PDB file of all heavy atoms in Angstrom:
ATOM      1  N   SER A1342      42.321  61.246  90.964  1.00  0.00           N
ATOM      2  CA  SER A1342      43.125  61.354  89.776  1.00  0.00           C
ATOM      3  C   SER A1342      44.605  61.130  90.066  1.00  0.00           C
ATOM      4  O   SER A1342      45.112  61.483  91.141  1.00  0.00           O
ATOM      5  CB  SER A1342      42.942  62.730  89.155  1.00  0.00           C
ATOM      6  OG  SER A1342      43.814  62.891  88.049  1.00  0.00           O
ATOM      7  N   MET A1343      45.310  60.562  89.076  1.00  0.00           N
ATOM      8  CA  MET A1343      46.787  60.470  89.161  1.00  0.00           C
ATOM      9  C   MET A1343      47.431  61.600  88.386  1.00  0.00           C
ATOM     10  O   MET A1343      48.670  61.638  88.182  1.00  0.00           O
ATOM     11  CB  MET A1343      47.255  59.103  88.670  1.00  0.00           C
ATOM     12  CG  MET A1343      46.989  58.004  89.674  1.00  0.00           C
ATOM     13  SD  MET A1343      47.848  56.512  89.260  1.00  0.00           S
ATOM     14  CE  MET A1343      47.989  55.767  90.900  1.00  0.00           C
ATOM     15  N   CYS A1344      46.641  62.550  87.892  1.00  0.00           N
ATOM     16  CA  CYS A1344      47.165  63.748  87.317  1.00  0.00           C
ATOM     17  C   CYS A1344      46.872  64.914  88.227  1.00  0.00           C
ATOM     18  O   CYS A1344      46.031  64.811  89.158  1.00  0.00           O
ATOM     19  CB  CYS A1344      46.567  63.989  85.937  1.00  0.00           C
ATOM     20  SG  CYS A1344      47.073  62.753  84.702  1.00  0.00           S
ATOM     21  N   GLY A1399      52.651  58.720  77.541  1.00  0.00           N
ATOM     22  CA  GLY A1399      52.257  58.323  78.896  1.00  0.00           C
ATOM     23  C   GLY A1399      52.504  56.841  79.137  1.00  0.00           C
ATOM     24  O   GLY A1399      53.154  56.154  78.302  1.00  0.00           O
ATOM     25  N   GLY A1400      52.080  56.395  80.288  1.00  0.00           N
ATOM     26  CA  GLY A1400      52.344  54.987  80.732  1.00  0.00           C
ATOM     27  C   GLY A1400      51.863  53.955  79.726  1.00  0.00           C
ATOM     28  O   GLY A1400      52.546  52.926  79.509  1.00  0.00           O
ATOM     29  N   THR A1401      50.743  54.204  79.098  1.00  0.00           N
ATOM     30  CA  THR A1401      50.202  53.199  78.186  1.00  0.00           C
ATOM     31  C   THR A1401      51.171  52.992  77.011  1.00  0.00           C
ATOM     32  O   THR A1401      51.549  51.860  76.714  1.00  0.00           O
ATOM     33  CB  THR A1401      48.820  53.665  77.665  1.00  0.00           C
ATOM     34  OG1 THR A1401      47.938  53.841  78.785  1.00  0.00           O
ATOM     35  CG2 THR A1401      48.247  52.671  76.663  1.00  0.00           C
ATOM     36  N   ASN A1404      54.395  51.246  78.161  1.00  0.00           N
ATOM     37  CA  ASN A1404      54.243  49.819  78.404  1.00  0.00           C
ATOM     38  C   ASN A1404      54.071  49.092  77.093  1.00  0.00           C
ATOM     39  O   ASN A1404      54.642  47.966  76.945  1.00  0.00           O
ATOM     40  CB  ASN A1404      53.019  49.614  79.345  1.00  0.00           C
ATOM     41  CG  ASN A1404      53.325  50.055  80.760  1.00  0.00           C
ATOM     42  OD1 ASN A1404      54.432  50.150  81.182  1.00  0.00           O
ATOM     43  ND2 ASN A1404      52.249  50.344  81.545  1.00  0.00           N
ATOM     44  N   HIS A1430      48.283  47.591  85.488  1.00  0.00           N
ATOM     45  CA  HIS A1430      47.405  48.546  84.871  1.00  0.00           C
ATOM     46  C   HIS A1430      46.801  47.972  83.585  1.00  0.00           C
ATOM     47  O   HIS A1430      47.447  47.191  82.889  1.00  0.00           O
ATOM     48  CB  HIS A1430      48.188  49.849  84.555  1.00  0.00           C
ATOM     49  CG  HIS A1430      47.340  50.934  84.025  1.00  0.00           C
ATOM     50  ND1 HIS A1430      47.271  51.258  82.666  1.00  0.00           N
ATOM     51  CD2 HIS A1430      46.474  51.778  84.648  1.00  0.00           C
ATOM     52  CE1 HIS A1430      46.424  52.238  82.498  1.00  0.00           C
ATOM     53  NE2 HIS A1430      45.936  52.590  83.683  1.00  0.00           N
ATOM     54  N   PHE A1431      45.600  48.429  83.214  1.00  0.00           N
ATOM     55  CA  PHE A1431      44.925  47.823  82.041  1.00  0.00           C
ATOM     56  C   PHE A1431      45.683  48.099  80.761  1.00  0.00           C
ATOM     57  O   PHE A1431      45.364  47.445  79.712  1.00  0.00           O
ATOM     58  CB  PHE A1431      43.469  48.244  81.953  1.00  0.00           C
ATOM     59  CG  PHE A1431      43.205  49.732  82.162  1.00  0.00           C
ATOM     60  CD1 PHE A1431      43.486  50.617  81.135  1.00  0.00           C
ATOM     61  CD2 PHE A1431      42.688  50.218  83.320  1.00  0.00           C
ATOM     62  CE1 PHE A1431      43.251  51.970  81.286  1.00  0.00           C
ATOM     63  CE2 PHE A1431      42.474  51.584  83.491  1.00  0.00           C
ATOM     64  CZ  PHE A1431      42.733  52.436  82.466  1.00  0.00           C
ATOM     65  N   SER A1432      46.680  48.956  80.747  1.00  0.00           N
ATOM     66  CA  SER A1432      47.451  49.226  79.523  1.00  0.00           C
ATOM     67  C   SER A1432      48.141  47.948  79.051  1.00  0.00           C
ATOM     68  O   SER A1432      48.428  47.783  77.859  1.00  0.00           O
ATOM     69  CB  SER A1432      48.454  50.319  79.743  1.00  0.00           C
ATOM     70  OG  SER A1432      49.176  50.181  80.937  1.00  0.00           O
ATOM     71  N   ILE A1474      55.413  46.126  89.139  1.00  0.00           N
ATOM     72  CA  ILE A1474      54.863  47.485  89.251  1.00  0.00           C
ATOM     73  C   ILE A1474      55.474  48.211  90.471  1.00  0.00           C
ATOM     74  O   ILE A1474      55.420  47.651  91.560  1.00  0.00           O
ATOM     75  CB  ILE A1474      53.324  47.450  89.459  1.00  0.00           C
ATOM     76  CG1 ILE A1474      52.641  46.445  88.548  1.00  0.00           C
ATOM     77  CG2 ILE A1474      52.757  48.831  89.268  1.00  0.00           C
ATOM     78  CD1 ILE A1474      52.605  46.764  87.080  1.00  0.00           C
ATOM     79  N   GLY A1476      54.590  51.019  92.410  1.00  0.00           N
ATOM     80  CA  GLY A1476      53.534  52.040  92.676  1.00  0.00           C
ATOM     81  C   GLY A1476      52.317  51.604  91.911  1.00  0.00           C
ATOM     82  O   GLY A1476      52.011  52.105  90.817  1.00  0.00           O
ATOM     83  N   THR A1478      48.556  51.199  90.607  1.00  0.00           N
ATOM     84  CA  THR A1478      47.474  52.190  90.372  1.00  0.00           C
ATOM     85  C   THR A1478      46.475  52.186  91.459  1.00  0.00           C
ATOM     86  O   THR A1478      46.074  53.222  91.965  1.00  0.00           O
ATOM     87  CB  THR A1478      46.799  51.860  89.049  1.00  0.00           C
ATOM     88  OG1 THR A1478      47.774  51.651  88.003  1.00  0.00           O
ATOM     89  CG2 THR A1478      45.884  52.967  88.619  1.00  0.00           C
ATOM     90  N   ASP A1503      57.019  48.961  85.655  1.00  0.00           N
ATOM     91  CA  ASP A1503      56.058  49.999  85.413  1.00  0.00           C
ATOM     92  C   ASP A1503      56.080  50.928  86.635  1.00  0.00           C
ATOM     93  O   ASP A1503      55.441  50.661  87.675  1.00  0.00           O
ATOM     94  CB  ASP A1503      54.675  49.416  85.193  1.00  0.00           C
ATOM     95  CG  ASP A1503      53.637  50.511  84.922  1.00  0.00           C
ATOM     96  OD1 ASP A1503      53.996  51.714  84.991  1.00  0.00           O
ATOM     97  OD2 ASP A1503      52.453  50.192  84.693  1.00  0.00           O
ATOM     98  N   ALA A1505      55.173  54.137  86.231  1.00  0.00           N
ATOM     99  CA  ALA A1505      54.493  55.318  85.660  1.00  0.00           C
ATOM    100  C   ALA A1505      54.119  56.299  86.724  1.00  0.00           C
ATOM    101  O   ALA A1505      54.366  57.469  86.626  1.00  0.00           O
ATOM    102  CB  ALA A1505      53.235  54.848  84.880  1.00  0.00           C
ATOM    103  N   PHE A1506      53.576  55.758  87.825  1.00  0.00           N
ATOM    104  CA  PHE A1506      53.264  56.677  88.970  1.00  0.00           C
ATOM    105  C   PHE A1506      54.435  56.766  89.927  1.00  0.00           C
ATOM    106  O   PHE A1506      54.879  57.873  90.263  1.00  0.00           O
ATOM    107  CB  PHE A1506      52.020  56.115  89.704  1.00  0.00           C
ATOM    108  CG  PHE A1506      51.525  57.049  90.753  1.00  0.00           C
ATOM    109  CD1 PHE A1506      50.850  58.227  90.453  1.00  0.00           C
ATOM    110  CD2 PHE A1506      51.818  56.837  92.109  1.00  0.00           C
ATOM    111  CE1 PHE A1506      50.387  59.125  91.425  1.00  0.00           C
ATOM    112  CE2 PHE A1506      51.394  57.703  93.081  1.00  0.00           C
ATOM    113  CZ  PHE A1506      50.693  58.875  92.777  1.00  0.00           C
ATOM    114  N   ASP A1533      56.112  58.491  84.347  1.00  0.00           N
ATOM    115  CA  ASP A1533      55.263  59.557  83.780  1.00  0.00           C
ATOM    116  C   ASP A1533      55.440  60.913  84.468  1.00  0.00           C
ATOM    117  O   ASP A1533      54.862  61.156  85.521  1.00  0.00           O
ATOM    118  CB  ASP A1533      53.808  59.168  83.845  1.00  0.00           C
ATOM    119  CG  ASP A1533      53.414  58.100  82.837  1.00  0.00           C
ATOM    120  OD1 ASP A1533      54.266  57.753  82.014  1.00  0.00           O
ATOM    121  OD2 ASP A1533      52.268  57.661  82.865  1.00  0.00           O
ATOM    122  N   HIS A1535      53.834  63.389  83.645  1.00  0.00           N
ATOM    123  CA  HIS A1535      52.487  64.029  83.716  1.00  0.00           C
ATOM    124  C   HIS A1535      51.719  63.504  84.878  1.00  0.00           C
ATOM    125  O   HIS A1535      50.497  63.930  85.073  1.00  0.00           O
ATOM    126  CB  HIS A1535      51.761  63.955  82.364  1.00  0.00           C
ATOM    127  CG  HIS A1535      51.215  62.618  81.956  1.00  0.00           C
ATOM    128  ND1 HIS A1535      50.955  62.343  80.652  1.00  0.00           N
ATOM    129  CD2 HIS A1535      50.897  61.504  82.623  1.00  0.00           C
ATOM    130  CE1 HIS A1535      50.490  61.093  80.553  1.00  0.00           C
ATOM    131  NE2 HIS A1535      50.429  60.557  81.757  1.00  0.00           N
ATOM    132  N   LYS A1536      52.263  62.642  85.712  1.00  0.00           N
ATOM    133  CA  LYS A1536      51.574  62.262  86.952  1.00  0.00           C
ATOM    134  C   LYS A1536      52.199  63.065  88.094  1.00  0.00           C
ATOM    135  O   LYS A1536      51.925  64.250  88.248  1.00  0.00           O
ATOM    136  CB  LYS A1536      51.610  60.743  87.184  1.00  0.00           C
ATOM    137  CG  LYS A1536      50.872  60.008  86.054  1.00  0.00           C
ATOM    138  CD  LYS A1536      50.754  58.547  86.347  1.00  0.00           C
ATOM    139  CE  LYS A1536      49.723  57.884  85.432  1.00  0.00           C
ATOM    140  NZ  LYS A1536      50.196  57.638  84.064  1.00  0.00           N
ATOM    141  N   ARG A1653      39.336  54.583  97.243  1.00  0.00           N
ATOM    142  CA  ARG A1653      40.709  54.914  96.845  1.00  0.00           C
ATOM    143  C   ARG A1653      40.860  56.431  96.682  1.00  0.00           C
ATOM    144  O   ARG A1653      40.068  57.054  95.978  1.00  0.00           O
ATOM    145  CB  ARG A1653      41.052  54.241  95.509  1.00  0.00           C
ATOM    146  CG  ARG A1653      42.315  54.729  94.835  1.00  0.00           C
ATOM    147  CD  ARG A1653      42.466  53.928  93.554  1.00  0.00           C
ATOM    148  NE  ARG A1653      43.567  54.358  92.718  1.00  0.00           N
ATOM    149  CZ  ARG A1653      43.502  55.264  91.762  1.00  0.00           C
ATOM    150  NH1 ARG A1653      42.355  55.884  91.496  1.00  0.00           N
ATOM    151  NH2 ARG A1653      44.551  55.518  91.021  1.00  0.00           N
TER     152      ARG A1653
HETATM  153  N1  LIG B3076      50.878  52.305  84.672  1.00  0.00           N
HETATM  154  C1  LIG B3076      50.399  52.673  85.863  1.00  0.00           C
HETATM  155  C2  LIG B3076      50.945  52.051  87.116  1.00  0.00           C
HETATM  156  C3  LIG B3076      49.327  53.647  85.956  1.00  0.00           C
HETATM  157  O1  LIG B3076      48.877  53.975  87.126  1.00  0.00           O
HETATM  158  C4  LIG B3076      48.859  54.192  84.747  1.00  0.00           C
HETATM  159  C5  LIG B3076      47.719  55.174  84.743  1.00  0.00           C
HETATM  160  C6  LIG B3076      49.419  53.755  83.524  1.00  0.00           C
HETATM  161  C7  LIG B3076      50.398  52.821  83.529  1.00  0.00           C
HETATM  162  C8  LIG B3076      48.945  54.335  82.207  1.00  0.00           C
HETATM  163  O2  LIG B3076      49.296  55.654  82.104  1.00  0.00           O
HETATM  164  P1  LIG B3076      48.601  56.666  81.075  1.00  0.00           P
HETATM  165  O3  LIG B3076      47.154  56.818  81.527  1.00  0.00           O
HETATM  166  O4  LIG B3076      49.414  57.904  81.194  1.00  0.00           O
HETATM  167  O5  LIG B3076      48.698  56.061  79.714  1.00  0.00           O
HETATM  168  N2  LIG B3076      47.101  55.395  85.925  1.00  0.00           N
HETATM  169  C9  LIG B3076      45.879  56.222  86.049  1.00  0.00           C
HETATM  170  C10 LIG B3076      44.673  55.300  86.050  1.00  0.00           C
HETATM  171  O6  LIG B3076      44.420  54.615  85.049  1.00  0.00           O
HETATM  172  C11 LIG B3076      45.767  57.266  85.027  1.00  0.00           C
HETATM  173  C12 LIG B3076      44.729  58.290  85.395  1.00  0.00           C
HETATM  174  C13 LIG B3076      45.087  59.605  85.560  1.00  0.00           C
HETATM  175  C14 LIG B3076      43.389  57.968  85.509  1.00  0.00           C
HETATM  176  C15 LIG B3076      44.169  60.553  85.885  1.00  0.00           C
HETATM  177  C16 LIG B3076      42.445  58.924  85.811  1.00  0.00           C
HETATM  178  C17 LIG B3076      42.834  60.224  85.985  1.00  0.00           C
HETATM  179  O7  LIG B3076      41.907  61.162  86.337  1.00  0.00           O
HETATM  180  O8  LIG B3076      44.006  55.248  87.084  1.00  0.00           O
END
Side-chain angles (χ1 to χ4, degrees):
S1342 176
M1343 285 193 153
C1344 290
T1401 301
N1404 290 338
H1430 184 258
F1431 48 75
S1432 48
I1474 318 289
T1478 312
D1503 180 358
F1506 186 76
D1533 286 355
H1535 72 202
K1536 295 190 167 75
R1653 167 181 175 269

